[in-house]
Amino acid sequence: MYLYRYVNIQMGRPRKSLISLEATPYYHCVSRCVRRAFLCGRDERTGRCFEHRRQWIEDRLLELAEIFALDICAYAVMSNHYHVVLHINAAQAEAWTLREVVDRWHQLCKGSPLSQRFARNEALSGAELARLEEVAAEWRERLMDISWFMRMLNESIARQANQEDGCTGRFWEGRFKSQALLDERALAACMAYVDLNPIRAKVADTPETSDHTSIQRFMDTHKTRSFPLLVTLHPILCFIGA
């Protein structure tokens, strides 16, 4: 059992008022599927298998990490829920130019008529450029916001699953849950907790065989010395001398 120092984010209060960069930039987030048919597992009642949806989650996580100023420290995709440990990289977001902010936001949403003209390199008046900078300031904040990251992740997976299942309605069990990790010990213990989820659930025997986890991905890429965006500085592995 792994114990770590954290602040549990209560669901009744606005999440923006509870996530504080002054306190910590690290957060452990969990989303759980509301349906009996599972997110990624096998439905024993119908015999249908949804294992391919694990790859949906992993692919979308990595895709969003390339867009947001959020680093993925650890993740594990389970049968009916997933864990992800996120680091808010405020310095990265603040260093982006107006062009970078607009380009990144356009990968998520279509933006505004002004941003579309800007992206096409059309000339903007001084007033138009000032207005775009105001809007882009809000987009910059969203691109380092955990709630927006989780929203973009969960909404896209829900749409895919609903289309595959031929139904509508909620796919996730309410809002995601968050825990603030207040120090390095808490971060290290939480990452170990996340990475070892498949082993505790008895769906894998070793980290190397734990599919759709950050620890397996780190080990695979470490062998080829090709390090992805995530887990470039994995505290757990640094502590054990990997």
Side-chain angles (χ1 to χ4, degrees):
M1 180 176 180
Y2 292 88
L3 300 177
Y4 49 89
R5 184 166 173 252
Y6 64 85
V7 173
N8 198 24
I9 304 292
Q10 299 299 317
M11 307 308 291
R13 295 175 57 189
R15 199 178 301 276
K16 185 176 181 180
S17 69
L18 293 163
I19 293 179
S20 169
L21 282 174
E22 287 74 21
T24 177
Y26 293 97
Y27 293 85
H28 172 208
C29 304
V30 183
S31 270
R32 187 172 297 275
C33 182
V34 73
R35 292 185 195 153
R36 181 190 179 281
F38 284 13
L39 165 66
C40 303
R42 178 178 293 277
D43 187 338
E44 298 298 335
R45 180 175 61 88
T46 65
R48 290 187 64 190
C49 180
F50 301 95
E51 284 295 307
H52 57 282
R53 292 179 180 172
R54 291 179 186 248
Q55 195 64 53
W56 291 359
I57 292 283
E58 187 170 19
D59 289 346
R60 186 60 171 163
L61 272 173
L62 302 182
E63 179 185 3
L64 290 173
E66 296 283 358
I67 300 172
F68 280 78
L70 293 171
D71 305 317
I72 300 176
C73 302
Y75 66 85
V77 184
M78 307 300 289
S79 63
N80 64 351
H81 69 284
Y82 69 87
H83 298 260
V84 60
V85 179
L86 296 170
H87 168 249
I88 302 173
N89 195 336
Q92 180 189 24
E94 291 165 1
W96 287 336
T97 64
L98 176 61
R99 170 72 62 178
E100 288 176 301
V101 172
V102 169
D103 288 346
R104 288 172 182 272
W105 187 253
H106 282 179
Q107 294 181 62
L108 301 172
C109 305
K110 66 178 182 179
S112 67
L114 274 180
S115 68
Q116 291 291 343
R117 287 174 54 198
F118 180 79
R120 294 193 298 268
N121 295 317
E122 295 182 12
L124 300 181
S125 68
E128 288 174 329
L129 188 58
R131 174 55 185 160
L132 177 59
E133 288 175 344
E134 290 179 4
V135 174
E138 181 178 356
W139 293 347
R140 190 190 303 270
E141 289 295 321
R142 290 178 180 180
L143 287 167
M144 54 183 284
D145 187 287
I146 287 175
S147 292
W148 272 90
F149 180 94
M150 297 295 287
R151 172 182 173 179
M152 291 298 175
L153 172 58
N154 285 350
E155 284 184 357
S156 64
I157 299 303
R159 282 195 300 270
Q160 285 181 270
N162 281 346
Q163 183 178 15
E164 183 177 60
D165 293 342
C167 65
T168 59
R170 296 179 66 178
F171 184 78
W172 299 101
E173 189 179 68
R175 298 171 66 195
F176 69 94
K177 296 181 180 179
S178 304
Q179 294 167 331
L181 307 173
L182 299 180
D183 52 36
E184 291 184 355
R185 185 181 297 272
L187 173 62
C190 182
M191 290 174 66
Y193 172 85
V194 170
D195 280 332
L196 296 177
N197 248 261
I199 296 175
R200 287 197 309 277
K202 301 186 185 304
V203 297
D205 295 325
T206 65
E208 293 89 341
T209 59
S210 300
D211 293 334
H212 307 295
T213 62
S214 52
I215 189 69
Q216 184 191 61
R217 183 176 179 83
F218 183 90
M219 290 179 173
D220 289 344
T221 54
H222 184 68
K223 291 175 184 176
T224 61
R225 301 190 181 276
S226 174
F227 293 91
L229 174 67
L230 76 163
V231 295
T232 50
L233 292 175
H234 195 306
I236 302 301
L237 298 176
C238 290
F239 293 160
I240 64 176

